[in-house]
Amino acid sequence: MKLTTINNQTRDGQLVVVNRAGNRAVTVPQIAQTMQQALDNWDSVAPQLNTVYQHLNDEGLNDAFDLNLDEVMAPLPRALQFLDGSAYLAHVERVRRARGAEMPPSFLEDPLMYQAVSDGFLAHNQDIEVVSEEYGIDFEAEAAVITSDVPMNVSAEEAGQYIQLVCILNDVSLRNLIPAELAKGFGFLQSKPRTALSPFFVTPDELGEAWQNNKIHLPMRTWLNGEWFGEPNCGVDMQFDFAQLVAHAAKTRPLCAGAIIGSGTIANHDMAKGSTCLAEKRVLEVIEHGKPSTPFMSFGDDVKIEITDGEGHNIFGTIHQKVVKY
């Protein structure tokens, strides 16, 4: 099943069911007005939405319309919670090695995770507005899951049943602001502006065999200014799967329906697969040459992120954003 939200001049938009091709949609106000409302009542709502989805794909619906991607908002325009992990230790290890630090053994057993910005998400094609290029503007291609209500202290074995939707995202970072913030010992704030979500959320079954062991076994493809940047596989070298990340987040508190759990920057040990953020490419340059040569993003630069399956289907739609001066 594929879902998104279209702009109806309200903060939370109008939930629509989208066909598999991503070009036709239908509103479902009789089932749920918004994505959050659907997630709040997922057990009863999901079967109804899926019935609409099947009809939309199989025979079409009289009230279906051509989907204009320019009217598509972030599928969940604002979430009650966004927790971002760092499940790809190839990325963590390289960043630490570049500054002469070893990766603590605990990182193999205890996921890194922080409380991210959730009160607003950028649409897939919305400009990344930044005050200054001196902030060190970077993109981060990630995958994420969206949960229904998750009980506190859920086990990793049980947590997978609460994963209801999957998406990709661009977790924008302002790299030059990060060191001073982390040095305070209190985490990210100014260095993490709003994140962009893919045009579509899909249920895990929409990924077919590519969804196994609570991971997406497909490459995350990224282009910077039209040039290939990387395509590491999301299912490779992921130390903690999404069920483990959900369980980690819920260890001491329940998660409310609509919680978004991010994977962190996708990275493989195979460096031929490229990178999904500028910081990692710069780190590799430091390791090899002693200093970085790749600059961070400038005003006018653009990034494109997507995942396609083996048959070339663009599952989540494309994130394509340009950096502009605020």
Side-chain angles (χ1 to χ4, degrees):
M1 179 165 59
K2 185 174 289 190
L3 305 171
T4 194
T5 295
I6 58 173
N7 191 349
N8 66 351
Q9 307 306 313
T10 67
R11 283 179 181 262
D12 299 308
Q14 172 71 60
L15 173 68
V16 296
V17 178
V18 183
N19 68 347
R20 187 167 285 110
N23 58 10
R24 296 279 289 171
V26 61
T27 58
V28 284
Q30 73 282 10
I31 301 175
Q33 292 279 356
T34 66
M35 186 73 74
Q36 184 62 51
Q37 185 181 2
L39 288 160
D40 285 341
N41 304 280
W42 190 256
D43 287 346
S44 61
V45 163
Q48 300 177 64
L49 293 174
N50 193 54
T51 297
V52 173
Y53 180 66
Q54 296 303 326
H55 287 318
L56 185 59
N57 283 306
D58 296 341
E59 58 202 54
L61 293 169
N62 291 334
D63 52 351
F65 55 90
D66 291 337
L67 183 65
N68 181 355
L69 285 174
D70 288 337
E71 295 179 359
V72 170
M73 305 170 68
L76 194 57
R78 50 181 176 168
L80 297 176
Q81 187 153 235
F82 173 27
L83 302 170
D84 202 14
S86 189
Y88 295 88
L89 296 189
H91 173 72
V92 177
E93 187 274 334
R94 288 167 188 156
V95 170
R96 296 181 69 87
R97 179 151 52 106
R99 65 172 188 259
E102 294 186 359
M103 188 172 68
S106 63
F107 282 20
L108 296 170
E109 301 174 359
D110 190 28
L112 294 167
M113 187 172 286
Y114 72 95
Q115 189 95 34
V117 179
S118 64
D119 60 345
F121 291 92
L122 301 178
H124 62 100
N125 57 357
Q126 196 167 348
D127 289 342
I128 301 167
E129 296 183 313
V130 184
V131 171
S132 171
E133 293 177 342
E134 298 301 313
Y135 289 170
I137 308 160
D138 198 359
F139 56 87
E140 288 187 64
E142 302 186 16
V145 297
I146 301 92
T147 73
S148 50
D149 289 305
V150 181
M152 181 170 63
N153 200 34
V154 66
S155 68
E157 292 73 25
E158 297 173 327
Q161 66 184 294
Y162 301 104
I163 293 172
Q164 308 303 352
L165 295 166
V166 189
C167 72
I168 62 174
L169 55 84
N170 180 16
D171 181 38
V172 181
S173 292
L174 303 177
R175 298 293 186 184
N176 292 340
L177 301 184
I178 288 177
E181 285 206 315
L182 294 187
K184 295 178 181 179
F186 224 54
F188 302 111
L189 182 67
Q190 294 174 342
S191 53
K192 285 290 187 178
R194 287 185 169 179
T195 292
L197 300 181
S198 55
F200 308 125
F201 285 175
V202 305
T203 47
D205 63 292
E206 198 68 20
L207 291 160
E209 294 183 357
W211 179 258
Q212 294 182 31
N213 302 317
N214 299 298
K215 299 177 183 179
I216 303 172
H217 293 267
L218 290 170
M220 177 76 76
R221 296 192 168 98
T222 307
W223 295 263
L224 176 62
N225 295 327
E227 295 186 3
W228 180 90
F229 195 82
E231 51 181 287
N233 193 298
C234 300
V236 175
D237 301 325
M238 189 180 190
Q239 182 71 17
F240 306 101
D241 65 41
F242 279 113
Q244 291 173 303
L245 293 176
V246 170
H248 178 81
K251 181 176 180 178
T252 60
R253 56 185 177 181
L255 304 181
C256 188
I260 299 176
I261 310 296
S263 67
T265 305
I266 312 297
N268 291 168
H269 289 297
D270 182 359
M271 291 185 287
K273 298 296 184 182
S275 303
T276 58
C277 70
L278 286 163
E280 176 159 318
K281 186 173 183 180
R282 287 166 58 89
V283 159
L284 292 172
E285 291 166 348
V286 170
I287 293 170
E288 185 174 357
H289 305 294
K291 62 180 181 179
S293 57
T294 298
F296 288 120
M297 298 182 81
S298 300
F299 298 140
D301 286 348
D302 71 271
V303 61
K304 187 170 79 167
I305 302 167
E306 64 186 27
I307 288 180
T308 52
D309 64 17
E311 298 177 351
H313 299 130
N314 191 343
I315 300 169
F316 304 100
T318 300
I319 297 173
H320 194 179
Q321 297 179 276
K322 182 171 69 173
V323 176
V324 300
K325 184 173 177 60
Y326 174 74

XYZ file of all heavy atoms in Angstrom, residues 9 19 25 33 49 67 72 109-110 126 132 194 269 291:
116
model
N -4.395 23.279 2.139
C -4.284 24.560 2.849
C -4.462 24.418 4.356
O -4.827 25.377 5.036
C -5.291 25.591 2.288
C -5.220 25.777 0.792
C -3.829 26.108 0.287
O -3.161 26.975 0.847
N -3.382 25.433 -0.768
N -1.748 4.925 -6.218
C -1.547 3.646 -6.899
C -0.063 3.272 -6.924
O 0.811 4.085 -6.609
C -2.143 3.665 -8.308
C -1.408 4.605 -9.253
O -0.599 5.437 -8.839
N -1.684 4.483 -10.542
N -4.367 8.904 -7.603
C -4.661 8.920 -6.167
C -6.151 9.107 -5.935
O -6.901 9.499 -6.835
C -3.878 10.043 -5.483
N -8.935 11.389 7.584
C -8.675 12.692 6.957
C -7.187 12.953 6.780
O -6.776 13.579 5.810
C -9.286 13.800 7.823
C -10.806 13.815 7.860
C -11.405 14.510 6.641
O -10.690 15.050 5.795
N -12.722 14.512 6.547
N -7.983 1.020 3.997
C -7.101 1.707 3.047
C -6.559 0.725 2.017
O -6.449 1.056 0.828
C -5.946 2.374 3.788
C -6.294 3.547 4.710
C -5.058 4.002 5.474
C -6.898 4.707 3.928
N -2.268 12.433 -9.909
C -1.544 13.010 -8.781
C -0.510 14.009 -9.274
O 0.356 13.685 -10.092
C -0.854 11.906 -7.975
C -0.115 12.376 -6.713
C -1.085 12.945 -5.696
C 0.691 11.221 -6.102
N 2.064 17.517 -3.422
C 2.345 16.538 -2.376
C 3.202 17.171 -1.277
O 4.277 17.720 -1.543
C 3.059 15.303 -2.963
C 3.575 14.397 -1.861
C 2.102 14.541 -3.875
N 26.674 -3.040 20.321
C 25.549 -3.611 21.052
C 24.488 -2.584 21.423
O 23.330 -2.955 21.653
C 26.051 -4.288 22.329
C 27.067 -5.398 22.073
C 27.647 -5.952 23.364
O 27.266 -5.454 24.436
O 28.479 -6.869 23.283
N 24.871 -1.327 21.494
C 23.965 -0.277 21.977
C 23.843 0.808 20.913
O 24.792 1.545 20.667
C 24.515 0.319 23.282
C 23.510 1.242 23.964
O 22.301 1.038 23.776
O 23.960 2.155 24.676
N 10.994 20.495 -1.750
C 11.053 21.803 -1.101
C 12.501 22.247 -0.927
O 13.379 21.449 -0.577
C 10.355 21.726 0.268
C 10.001 23.071 0.867
C 9.053 22.909 2.049
O 8.494 21.837 2.278
N 8.886 23.977 2.812
N 23.484 30.680 6.013
C 24.863 30.914 5.569
C 25.499 29.621 5.065
O 25.320 28.550 5.663
C 25.707 31.463 6.731
O 27.078 31.504 6.386
N 15.235 21.213 9.522
C 14.174 20.271 9.168
C 14.621 19.248 8.126
O 15.426 19.540 7.251
C 12.944 21.032 8.667
C 12.200 21.736 9.802
C 10.911 22.389 9.364
N 10.139 22.820 10.524
C 8.973 23.436 10.476
N 8.425 23.698 9.288
N 8.335 23.784 11.576
N 30.692 -1.059 4.005
C 32.150 -1.174 4.128
C 32.816 -1.105 2.756
O 33.954 -0.654 2.640
C 32.517 -2.480 4.837
C 32.187 -2.478 6.298
N 32.765 -1.603 7.203
C 31.327 -3.239 7.022
C 32.285 -1.822 8.411
N 31.411 -2.814 8.328
N 43.600 15.546 4.399
C 42.683 16.681 4.463
C 41.573 16.491 3.427
O 41.759 15.802 2.412
C 43.406 18.002 4.218
C 44.034 18.119 2.852
C 44.735 19.475 2.702
C 45.362 19.610 1.308
N 46.024 20.923 1.143
